[in-house]
Amino acid sequence: MNFEDYASQDAVGLARLIRTKAVSAEEVTQAAIEAAEHLNPKLNVLVMTNFDNAREQVKKDLPDSPVSGAPFYLKDVNQFTSDMPTTFSSRFFEGASPRADSELVSRWRNAGLVILGKTNTPEFAEDFVCEPTFRGVTLNPWNPEVTTGGSSGGAGAAVASGMVPLAHGTDLGGSIRIPAACCGVFGLKPTTGLNPMGPYFMEFSNGFNSDHVLTRSVRDSAAALDQSAGPMPGSRYQIRPEVSSYLSALEEKLPQLRIGVSTSTPYGEAVGKNQAASVDKVSRLLADMGHQVEEYTYPADLGLGSWMEDLWMVDVVYEIENRIKEVGREPLHEELEALTHYVRERVASLSAMDLYRARQGAHEASMQLIQSMIDYDLVLTPTLASDPIPVGYMDSRTENFDMETWGERGHAFAPFAYICNVSGQPAASVPVQLNEGEHPCAVQLAGHSGKDHLILQVAAQLEQELRWDRYRPPIWVGNL
């Protein structure tokens, strides 16, 4: 299988070729491995590989699923695997031992996804960019001078470059959608709890996080969700899909939807011209499809504040404390980045009542946000407020780190994503190329809890019009 044939297929397409014996799973896997060997030195996507295990896996009978045999990368955070360690992209976790597969990893294996390695991420997935000290910057295949986005930057670059058709991402404040937007691919953050987080964790960030995948096609996202969605026995979240199959739902006829549209941030600020143009282009497409498109305005005061950081920071400190207990010592100063040192100090200063008030703040903001959307099926906004920022613009790593500056720059860059984590609602980033050959922009579709299928259905309609399967960055497997 040559590189062009490999990279031109999504996961569903590769699985179909394998199933019909047009190509073998071994050939697909070898193409993916060789693609990684060629492009990873240029992009720094993979931080560990699992090639030998992958080769052995595809020699056996594969499960029957729409994505069986498709090459896949995991992100080096939150999910555990029996055959690779999880280091949270932190030097303090170097040498950590693997653990038994997390439930979500087991479901992906049972679907026949072939795990080839783990992708780069900022330390503890806590940044808007992917520039960790531990393993270095991941570069954007569209333009190495700008960010891939964070925290699933390795996944975004891998999928955009054609190294794999889909890759795992986590999202507690936009970490699937921000890199999807920066890298010109599709990224769905599912309804909180739809994909399981156990058995090691009840939840992340007090309910902000949703794991799923970044993909080049909508159908790959839907097919992957069919394999992963649904509660784990004993878990706090018992969220079940509202459709029998997300993939099959893509074929269903959509009724006329009422869609709210905004190009102002939740703070009432304007966005860049490319972001506004992308929303205008997509809103016109949706109107031409027969949907009712109206202006939407975010509530004047969502009450967003420092409590948001308090909620995700606790998880970081929890993992560090577990590691301290495991290795029997405190981390050396150079084993943690500047933001992580700040996080430890911040969490140490919090009381139980501080955390309770933070959770209450999230509840109140969620109620206000969803009430403002109650008359709409979806809300359309930009995914980002600007074009991808330059590499090095965000500093969470060095002694020059300043929390106020970091927060202001990050939220100015990506103000639309994290509010959907606070509310738990599903949201997706859809790539939009304004001019042929240019770095794509992106819009966000946000829906109501449990209505993941509706976002996927609308995204599939847009995919037919925008044809982002033809978007090709300069660094592309098919060019090898």
Side-chain angles (χ1 to χ4, degrees):
M1 188 176 211
N2 65 43
F3 288 131
E4 176 59 34
D5 289 343
Y6 168 71
S8 67
Q9 295 287 338
D10 64 0
V12 171
L14 288 171
R16 182 179 294 130
L17 291 175
I18 293 169
R19 190 164 52 251
T20 59
K21 301 189 184 307
V23 66
S24 70
E26 290 93 334
E27 290 175 290
V28 171
T29 299
Q30 188 58 33
I33 290 171
E34 292 178 11
E37 290 172 341
H38 278 87
L39 290 195
N40 199 54
K42 298 179 180 180
L43 298 175
N44 192 32
V45 163
L46 282 171
V47 296
M48 59 188 83
T49 60
N50 198 33
F51 294 163
D52 289 343
N53 285 348
R55 289 188 178 102
E56 290 302 313
Q57 177 186 347
V58 295
K59 290 178 182 178
K60 305 171 185 175
D61 290 338
L62 291 171
D64 182 17
S65 91
V67 294
S68 188
F72 184 61
Y73 294 161
L74 292 171
K75 182 178 177 181
D76 185 30
V77 72
N78 295 359
Q79 301 296 331
F80 292 93
T81 48
S82 60
D83 46 10
M84 289 179 286
T86 298
T87 72
F88 298 87
S89 201
S90 173
R91 193 175 300 280
F92 185 48
F93 284 72
E94 190 171 18
S97 299
R99 301 190 202 175
D101 286 352
S102 298
E103 176 68 14
L104 195 51
V105 174
S106 292
R107 293 183 185 189
W108 285 328
R109 289 196 202 274
N110 291 337
L113 289 173
V114 181
I115 300 173
L116 292 170
K118 288 194 172 183
T119 59
N120 204 14
T121 176
E123 188 169 77
F124 296 103
E126 61 191 13
D127 208 346
F128 296 86
V129 296
C130 189
E131 303 171 19
T133 301
F134 187 21
R135 297 189 177 105
V137 179
T138 293
L139 300 181
N140 194 316
W142 286 95
N143 178 359
E145 295 184 358
V146 302
T147 184
T148 59
S151 62
S152 306
V159 173
S161 65
M163 290 172 69
V164 286
L166 75 173
H168 166 223
T170 67
D171 195 318
L172 68 82
S175 288
I176 287 174
R177 290 158 290 151
I178 294 169
C182 290
C183 296
V185 298
F186 180 73
L188 169 70
K189 179 200 84 72
T191 297
T192 296
L194 184 60
N195 275 337
M197 302 309 300
Y200 300 103
F201 303 101
M202 174 178 64
E203 60 187 7
F204 291 109
S205 303
N206 287 266
F208 285 6
N209 196 78
S210 295
D211 284 30
H212 188 42
V213 295
L214 291 86
T215 63
R216 290 198 299 274
S217 70
V218 175
R219 71 177 184 177
D220 275 3
S221 188
L225 197 56
D226 278 341
Q227 306 306 311
S228 60
M232 180 179 181
S235 69
R236 173 181 179 180
Y237 293 97
Q238 293 291 308
I239 310 298
R240 300 180 184 277
E242 293 193 8
V243 293
S244 59
S245 166
Y246 293 103
L247 185 59
S248 297
L250 301 185
E251 306 300 322
E252 297 176 2
K253 182 176 175 59
L254 270 172
Q256 183 189 63
L257 302 176
R258 189 176 180 189
I259 301 174
V261 180
S262 178
T263 54
S264 295
T265 75
Y267 303 110
E269 298 168 349
V271 299
K273 65 178 183 179
N274 289 334
Q275 288 64 47
S278 298
V279 170
D280 182 62
K281 181 174 183 174
V282 172
S283 63
R284 285 187 279 109
L285 282 174
L286 292 170
D288 290 344
M289 293 171 188
H291 300 302
Q292 185 178 346
V293 177
E294 303 174 8
E295 184 177 353
Y296 166 79
T297 303
Y298 283 102
D301 183 12
L302 278 172
L304 303 173
S306 63
W307 54 260
M308 296 176 57
E309 278 75 25
D310 293 345
L311 292 176
W312 66 257
M313 287 179 179
V314 175
D315 285 340
V316 173
V317 175
Y318 175 78
E319 283 306 316
I320 293 172
E321 291 299 315
N322 286 343
R323 181 65 172 164
I324 290 170
K325 184 177 180 180
E326 180 182 13
V327 298
R329 66 172 178 88
E330 284 282 321
L332 302 175
H333 185 80
E334 62 270 20
E335 289 180 313
L336 298 176
E337 295 178 352
L339 174 55
T340 305
H341 284 296
Y342 174 90
V343 165
R344 295 189 76 194
E345 293 172 4
R346 173 71 182 176
V347 170
S349 73
L350 297 176
S351 68
M353 187 54 66
D354 289 331
L355 291 174
Y356 186 85
R357 289 195 180 102
R359 289 176 65 88
Q360 189 65 18
H363 166 70
E364 292 169 1
S366 177
M367 291 292 292
Q368 194 173 357
L369 176 64
I370 298 303
Q371 285 298 318
S372 76
M373 294 177 54
I374 203 70
D375 293 327
Y376 300 103
D377 297 294
L378 299 172
V379 166
L380 169 69
T381 67
T383 306
L384 307 173
S386 71
D387 293 340
I389 55 180
V391 170
Y393 180 71
M394 302 289 295
D395 181 7
S396 62
R397 302 165 300 286
T398 76
E399 298 304 318
N400 295 321
F401 166 75
D402 175 73
M403 182 63 186
E404 184 175 353
T405 301
W406 178 84
E408 287 177 355
R409 289 184 173 187
H411 292 306
F413 167 52
F416 296 98
Y418 62 90
I419 58 172
C420 296
N421 298 87
V422 174
S423 64
Q425 66 192 115
S429 182
V430 172
V432 182
Q433 196 172 61
L434 295 175
N435 297 294
E436 187 175 354
E438 287 185 354
H439 196 151
C441 295
V443 299
Q444 177 176 269
L445 293 169
H448 291 282
S449 182
K451 304 302 180 184
D452 305 71
H453 58 285
L454 196 61
I455 291 177
L456 289 165
Q457 288 169 324
V458 172
Q461 285 190 327
L462 292 172
E463 186 177 23
Q464 293 177 13
E465 298 294 328
L466 296 171
R467 295 305 307 270
W468 60 73
D469 60 309
R470 299 177 180 175
Y471 297 175
R472 296 288 187 268
I475 300 178
W476 170 251
V477 167
N479 295 336
L480 293 173

